[in-house]
Structure formats: C-alpha cells, structure tokens
Amino acid sequence: MAAVLLRFQTQLPAKIYNTQKPPIRHNKRRPPTPPIHISTNISDINTTSLRDLYTSCNHSCHRFPNLLSDGRVEPVDVDKLRVAVENSSVVVSVFARPEIAGNLKSGGGEWYKKMIPLNAGSGELVGFGRAVSDHGLTASIYDLMVVPSLQRRGIGRIILQRIIRLLTNKGIYDIAALCSNQEMGFFKACGFGDDILGSTTMMYTRSGNDMVKSAGRKLLSIPPLRKH
C-alpha cells in the first residue's frame, strides 16, 4: 500500500490578477451536508462501532494489511484500536441520524426519533479522524474516513479542519498527513502540500534471519548480507 507524506501549508499564495474571464465550469453541484454531530471527546467513541466504520470504508491501520478472500482488508483488532484511540492526541468523530447514514433516500424511522437531539448517543458513527502529536512541535494525521454513503458531502473536510484547528490552537503547525495516492487530491485541496524537505515515508523493518525481513506484517525475501 503506497503512502505519501504531505505537510500542512500555513502560507497562502499571493493573488494573481487576470483580466480574462474565468472559464465556465459545468461541475455537478455537491450534495448538501446532512445534519451531523461532531465530537472531540474520546469517551464518545465506541470502539466496536469504530471498527465497523473501518470495515465499511475498507480502511486498514496497517501499511501492509492482510487481505480476505474477497480482496477486502481484514478487520482491525478492537483491543489494539482501543489503545490507539486512547493514546491519540486528537480524535474527531462525526455522528448522523441512523436513517441518514443507512439510506439517503429514505426518511424512515418513527417521528418521535427525529425529535431526539442528535448527539453521540442518538446518532450513528459516520466519520472519524485522529492525530498523534508530541504536544509541542509536530503532529501526524491518520485514519481520516467517512462512511461511503455520505462521502463527497463535505464531512471529510470538516473532520480535517477540526483536527487542524485543535492542533494549531496548541501552537502546533508542523502537521503531516499519511495518505495514499488516491487521497492526495483531497489533502491538497485542504491546504496540504509536498514536504519542503522532500521527505519520503519509510517503514521500519525487523530482521527475522539473514534471509527474510518483515515490513509491517508482510514478509520480504532479501539476499543474505555479504561478509567483508
């Protein structure tokens, strides 16, 4: 799984004045963002529901995930996920009404359920993102995802903006995002760019013996080291 390290850009480019009229765009209008509840409280996260969100988004915490017979990534371990969330510096969870999360075309559900205020208890987890930080200088963003039925509705951008705001309020501006090639366009549209130092993501590997290395959980065959 390829990964790209992007850095959040804090400087905006200078305006370029052009007398020519901008080209007419015929892009389809993005569907509106449904009513959501945003929480930054770790106690609002049910790790089983979060594991289900990972599964529905086919998202893995591992750079080298094990694949199931249908080609999807294996479910994340709930106990390890709980530890990861508890040790994250920032978590942002998004909740929507169950009828919205399950079926966008349906207004189902009893009328009295719609009168209940939307919160972490009454809503369904539909989006998530977290950041790990040293609380002084740097931070990295991981696991930004939105349930497929609500993607391209601005929820992912809301999660990312909330994470950035929480970090910059603490004086942390060196913010990196570990993302795939498919996610680069989204992060760049949200103000991230290539690392000015030209950094490339590298993964630690453990040597099992002279013939085999493991990168993450994936075994890689390598030739033995020559003796000099």
Side-chain angles (χ1 to χ4, degrees):
M1 180 182 292
V4 179
L5 185 66
L6 299 178
R7 296 281 181 177
F8 179 63
Q9 305 294 321
T10 58
Q11 294 183 350
L12 298 178
K15 292 183 178 180
I16 299 177
Y17 295 94
N18 194 334
T19 56
Q20 297 181 355
K21 295 182 178 180
I24 299 176
R25 297 182 178 180
H26 300 282
N27 295 336
K28 294 183 179 180
R29 186 176 180 180
R30 188 183 70 189
T33 303
I36 56 176
H37 171 76
I38 304 173
S39 172
T40 58
N41 194 335
I42 292 180
S43 63
D44 285 338
I45 300 175
N46 180 293
T47 48
T48 301
S49 299
L50 181 56
R51 188 272 313 275
D52 293 342
L53 179 63
Y54 275 76
T55 300
S56 65
C57 296
N58 197 31
H59 181 86
S60 176
C61 302
H62 304 288
R63 304 276 72 79
F64 300 98
N66 290 333
L67 300 179
L68 303 177
S69 58
D70 59 358
R72 296 178 62 84
V73 299
E74 68 174 354
V76 62
D77 183 277
V78 173
D79 293 330
K80 290 186 176 182
L81 181 59
R82 181 180 298 109
V83 173
V85 171
E86 290 175 351
N87 287 278
S88 296
S89 305
V90 173
V91 295
V92 176
S93 306
V94 176
F95 300 85
R97 297 193 181 279
E99 63 271 15
I100 296 296
N103 188 347
L104 299 181
K105 297 181 180 179
S106 172
E110 294 82 355
W111 64 270
Y112 63 86
K113 291 184 179 180
K114 299 180 181 179
M115 302 298 293
I116 301 176
L118 176 59
N119 52 44
S122 62
E124 181 176 329
L125 182 66
V126 298
F128 178 76
R130 67 189 184 98
V132 177
S133 172
D134 57 17
H135 300 284
L137 298 173
T138 66
S140 298
I141 297 174
Y142 299 92
D143 303 330
L144 181 62
M145 53 190 159
V146 177
V147 67
S149 62
L150 292 179
Q151 291 178 1
R152 301 186 183 280
R153 289 173 172 261
I155 296 178
R157 183 182 289 267
I158 292 174
I159 296 174
L160 187 57
Q161 289 175 341
R162 183 62 62 91
I163 292 175
I164 292 173
R165 187 171 71 186
L166 291 171
L167 292 173
T168 55
N169 284 346
K170 298 177 181 180
I172 300 173
Y173 292 92
D174 189 349
I175 305 171
L178 188 64
C179 62
S180 66
N181 290 328
Q182 292 75 19
E183 298 168 328
M184 284 184 63
F186 166 76
F187 278 94
K188 286 186 175 181
C190 293
F192 284 74
D194 296 333
D195 193 332
I196 191 173
L197 299 179
S199 300
T200 301
T201 302
M202 302 182 71
M203 300 298 296
Y204 169 72
T205 58
R206 295 179 299 172
S207 297
N209 52 50
D210 289 341
M211 295 296 296
V212 177
K213 276 189 177 181
S214 62
R217 297 177 301 161
K218 184 177 180 180
L219 296 181
L220 304 175
S221 296
I222 62 171
L225 296 176
R226 294 181 179 179
K227 294 182 179 180
H228 296 281

